[in-house]
Amino acid sequence: MELLELTRENTQINPALSAHLCDRIERDFIKRWNGPWGGRSLVHGRDPGPNSVRLNGNDYLNLTGRPEIVQAQSEALRSDTEFVIQSGSFLLETHPVRAFEKKMANWIGKDDGVLCQSGYAANMGLLQCIADAQTPVYMDMLAHTSLWEGARRAEAPVHPFRHNDVDHLRRLIAKHGGGLVVVDSVYSTTGAMAPLVDLVDVAEAGGCMILVDESHSLGTHGPGGAGLCVALGLSHRVHFVTASLAKAFAGRAGFFNIPTGLRNYILSTSHHNIFSSCLLPHEVAGLSTTLDVVQGCDVERERLHRISRQMRESFSELGYPVHQGTEQIIALEGGTEPDTLVLRDHLESRDVFGAVFCAPATARNRTMVRLTLSSALTDAELDHVAHVAREIAPLVKPWEWPLARRARSARVQIPAQVQAS
């Protein structure tokens, strides 16, 4: 009860919180902390040591610290001493942000775009502008939280469809009419790839616009890393592409494309842009150079895809149910929070560090350790992860996890590329 006592009684420094808030903290958090979590954090475990294998970041192409990116940032810091910090709504066409926005848009086959403070802001700000109470929004059940929040901010009626279930989407559109279909290209919790061609076909047939969040495929998929929409020849059929630039770009920003004719409407309507300051010059300079670097990372992309297949095969052969995804994000879905806590501790005690995803990032009983791969992983590090997975398998019994049981009961067919040795 120590945490609750701090909220109620530490009044020498902070005024007392309301009784209602304290009761809510007790109900929604303290009981969880002291119960399933056993009085310690589920998401914060050990500190990684110098020999640890870090699988808890999103720098898929290993761009952090690249000399050319650091140089671009350093030069901007030295030269842009008279920069005016202001709302993005005030930026003129001559501002460096505009050059980057057009550069990004051209890369993904579009004519214009908007740079935001984060991927969350991009999704919120865009949905607020393109949906309203008369716009049915058809949302994949696993779409990122920022997309759900954007639809809620727009006060749009949301109709969730089963994950990657095109037929379910078709039936919902037939019932509720044309609107906006919202999906991720690669899903951030499981590494599952959306059936984008079929989704676009259904959206078009139903008179819907479509928004694709490419946060986990921009930079890692497609020619020059331009994403899955470009790779599949869908750019001219997808209305809006959004992305966090905190993944393969290893930066801190977000982006979405818009038709040039919508620019002034967006700048005058989107709250993320009106009420937040623009990015700083060194951030924009770094992102622009990062785009150049990303386009030349074919070797890194090829290695990332190769080791993704390799690691998935290793986990699958050991009985870990990883069939729900195919890409560089591997979910070890222990199910309950206590079981995932045990899994996390076994991995970290053997110097393998993933990221724990629990409610609200997942459903309450679909807690997981998410492993994200990078092109920089060495063969020795990959061998170590595979060795640890084999060593702890009898301890965590992945074949008994709820996901594995559901797969057996549904007779899920594991993809051939995962079965291959």
Side-chain angles (χ1 to χ4, degrees):
M1 297 295 291
E2 181 183 5
L3 290 176
L4 183 59
E5 290 170 359
L6 285 174
T7 62
R8 290 188 188 276
E9 299 179 5
N10 192 17
T11 57
Q12 292 180 342
I13 299 174
N14 301 305
L17 301 178
S18 70
H20 173 73
L21 176 56
C22 289
D23 290 342
R24 189 173 132 213
I25 294 170
E26 165 71 18
R27 182 190 70 238
D28 296 341
F29 180 70
I30 300 298
K31 289 182 178 179
R32 189 180 181 194
W33 176 278
N34 290 330
W37 292 16
R40 57 198 179 109
S41 175
L42 176 61
V43 296
H44 296 152
R46 302 172 182 234
D47 286 329
N51 296 319
S52 298
V53 182
R54 299 286 298 272
L55 305 177
N56 55 357
N58 294 313
D59 186 1
Y60 298 130
L61 303 177
N62 191 36
L63 299 188
T64 299
R66 284 285 290 254
E68 57 267 56
I69 298 173
V70 174
Q71 181 180 354
Q73 293 170 325
S74 299
E75 290 177 354
L77 282 168
R78 293 190 186 98
S79 60
D80 291 304
T81 57
E82 298 182 2
F83 174 74
V84 176
I85 299 176
Q86 58 185 173
S87 166
S89 295
F90 298 129
L91 301 184
L92 302 177
E93 286 297 309
T94 54
H95 196 281
V97 165
R98 290 298 292 130
F100 176 71
E101 289 172 337
K102 293 176 181 178
K103 184 177 179 181
M104 280 287 294
N106 180 259
W107 181 44
I108 62 172
K110 296 296 185 179
D111 54 347
D112 206 346
V114 176
L115 183 65
C116 309
Q117 295 77 8
S118 67
Y120 202 103
N123 284 338
M124 286 277 290
L126 177 60
L127 273 159
Q128 176 208 336
C129 295
I130 62 175
D132 62 10
Q134 286 72 50
T135 306
V137 173
Y138 303 99
M139 189 90 65
D140 187 287
M141 288 291 294
L142 292 189
H144 193 268
T145 295
S146 58
L147 295 165
W148 292 86
E149 287 297 303
R152 186 170 71 171
R153 175 65 184 81
E155 300 182 347
V158 178
H159 304 286
F161 64 94
R162 289 188 290 270
H163 177 51
N164 279 348
D165 190 331
V166 178
D167 289 334
H168 188 208
L169 171 63
R170 182 184 291 108
R171 294 195 298 273
L172 286 174
I173 295 174
K175 181 177 181 180
H176 300 286
L180 175 68
V181 175
V182 179
V183 299
D184 290 20
S185 54
V186 172
Y187 285 87
S188 61
T189 52
T190 64
M193 186 182 293
L196 285 181
V197 173
D198 293 338
L199 288 166
V200 171
D201 286 345
V202 169
E204 287 180 344
C208 291
M209 300 181 293
I210 185 166
L211 182 160
V212 179
D213 184 333
E214 289 231 45
S215 292
H216 294 277
S217 56
L218 197 65
T220 58
H221 293 69
L228 278 174
C229 290
V230 172
L232 297 171
L234 296 173
S235 290
H236 65 292
R237 299 171 63 193
V238 170
H239 298 77
F240 303 102
V241 171
T242 71
S244 164
L245 303 186
K247 315 306 179 189
F249 271 61
R252 194 65 193 156
F255 176 83
F256 61 84
N257 81 276
I258 53 169
T260 299
L262 279 188
R263 181 164 187 81
N264 286 325
Y265 166 71
I266 295 291
L267 295 183
S268 302
T269 308
S270 182
H271 285 188
H272 92 273
N273 197 70
I274 297 170
F275 298 109
S276 293
S277 296
C278 61
L279 272 68
L280 301 178
H282 73 278
E283 295 174 314
V284 179
L287 290 170
S288 183
T289 301
T290 299
L291 175 51
D292 298 334
V293 173
V294 165
Q295 290 175 306
C297 282
D298 288 342
V299 171
E300 289 82 356
R301 275 184 284 276
E302 193 279 330
R303 177 167 176 77
L304 179 65
H305 294 307
R306 185 172 71 251
I307 66 177
S308 297
R309 293 190 296 270
Q310 175 185 332
M311 291 310 301
R312 284 187 173 278
E313 289 167 6
S314 296
F315 279 107
S316 182
E317 289 170 357
L318 294 170
Y320 290 85
V322 296
H323 55 273
Q324 73 273 42
T326 58
E327 304 309 299
Q328 71 272 13
I329 300 165
I330 300 177
L332 303 184
E333 190 178 308
T336 69
E337 293 182 343
D339 286 343
T340 303
L341 189 61
V342 171
L343 171 63
R344 183 205 73 184
D345 287 348
H346 279 306
L347 289 169
E348 292 186 354
S349 68
R350 294 163 175 81
D351 285 326
V352 175
F353 286 77
V356 174
F357 275 38
C358 59
T362 69
R364 181 59 64 93
N365 292 318
R366 302 201 68 168
T367 308
M368 65 181 66
V369 175
R370 188 186 79 164
L371 309 179
T372 49
L373 306 180
S374 163
S375 63
L377 289 166
T378 66
D379 290 342
E381 288 174 322
L382 297 172
D383 289 343
H384 177 70
V385 173
H387 171 77
V388 169
R390 181 179 299 277
E391 182 178 306
I392 69 172
L395 304 176
V396 299
K397 296 180 173 58
W399 45 84
E400 294 181 2
W401 291 350
L403 179 64
R405 294 198 299 269
R406 288 195 297 271
R408 286 195 296 272
S409 65
R411 297 184 178 181
V412 169
Q413 296 299 309
I414 307 301
Q417 69 267 26
V418 177
Q419 294 179 353
S421 58

